[in-house]
Amino acid sequence: MEYYCKKYEDEVETLPEKYRSYIGRKVSFILISILLTGTIFLYSLSVGNADLTIFDITRTILGMPTELTHSKSIIWNLRIPRAIAAIIAGVALSISGVVLQSILRNPLGSPYTLGISHAAAFGATLSILAGTRNWLPMLDLPYMTTLFAFAFSLISTLTILAIAKYKNATPEVLILVGVALSSLLTAATMLLQFFADDSELPEIVFWTFGDLGRAYWESIYIMGFITLLSSAYFLYNRWNYNAIDAGDEVARGLGVNVDRVRLTGMLVASLTTAAAVSFLGIIGFVGLVCPHIARRFVGDDQRFLIPSACIVGAVLLLASDVAARLIIAPYVLPVGIITAFMGAPLFLYLLIRGYSH
């Protein structure tokens, strides 16, 4: 009996050490990912037609004189906005994806599969056609394409929420509703493209590709503000998401209002996604891929999964943008093409494997 008591005491004493090691691995992954983000960020500033070294970039950022007179304009007006937009959009799409996967308890949940991105594409296409053909004079005003994309993203989200509330739909059904809406909106966008003339079609197609080249400081401020607020909201609800991961009944037993948390989370995630997509176009699969990458390293604990997914999203989109500028340099590919090439195989892998969250 004394032997078993001693063994129990030894195990209890080792628990804090094991827990610190358990937490330390997760924190280490987050810190390494942050360091990697900073490294890729600096390297991305040196990639482009203008031959700028890291030394020139550092001196320009610090306000020190350089031999290249045009370096300040290139860095502050083109490359830094592009890199910051990649980080913000990566965070916005990834955090939306990880929350949607949690509250829907489905590994295929993401802004892309729920049709939010396709709704934005339809709204932007409709705005471009209406503006060039003078259907409404106000559509020639700045930001109208962005506002239309944002509005249709919200309409798509509200449609899904309405079905969830009034038909008492399960999370699995919500995913299917999103897939159906994606197909419908894609068909509608293609129909509008069919009737577009030679001057309208390039603008529509270029927008639907998803590109960081259209980022500018005003859009960065708006995206950053919305992403910051939504991230704070998601982190505040991290324990609620952990409870929902254990099952709806378990969460209700712990005092979580599952329906309210699920609907509010979907709405905030959609707002965050719409803010990024309406300015930059469709950037697919980031919200699907990054949560799964982060989950492999930190597990399902939302305290660590949410920040990890955000950083992985920033790394992935920054790296994709660098690849888009290098693959066929000096031409620049839309970053949405790169993310689709990376995300589509994982999407098929999850479908074939039947990954259970």
Side-chain angles (χ1 to χ4, degrees), residues 274-291:
V277 173
S278 60
F279 281 107
L280 304 177
I282 295 179
I283 301 176
F285 292 102
V286 174
L288 174 66
V289 173
C290 296

Side-chain angles (χ1 to χ4, degrees), residues 229-310:
L229 291 181
S230 61
S231 299
Y233 172 81
F234 292 141
L235 286 172
Y236 177 78
N237 284 276
R238 60 193 182 277
W239 289 110
N240 291 332
Y241 302 144
N242 277 336
I244 292 176
D245 281 341
D248 288 3
E249 295 303 323
V250 174
R252 290 189 178 96
L254 294 173
V256 178
N257 188 332
V258 175
D259 294 333
R260 186 179 65 186
V261 170
R262 178 168 288 142
L263 295 178
T264 307
M266 286 185 63
L267 181 60
V268 176
S270 301
L271 284 169
T272 309
T273 302
V277 173
S278 60
F279 281 107
L280 304 177
I282 295 179
I283 301 176
F285 292 102
V286 174
L288 174 66
V289 173
C290 296
H292 290 291
I293 295 175
R295 193 174 282 112
R296 296 294 181 183
F297 291 93
V298 301
D300 290 320
D301 191 339
Q302 299 293 331
R303 296 177 299 166
F304 304 99
L305 181 58
I306 289 176
S308 297
C310 290

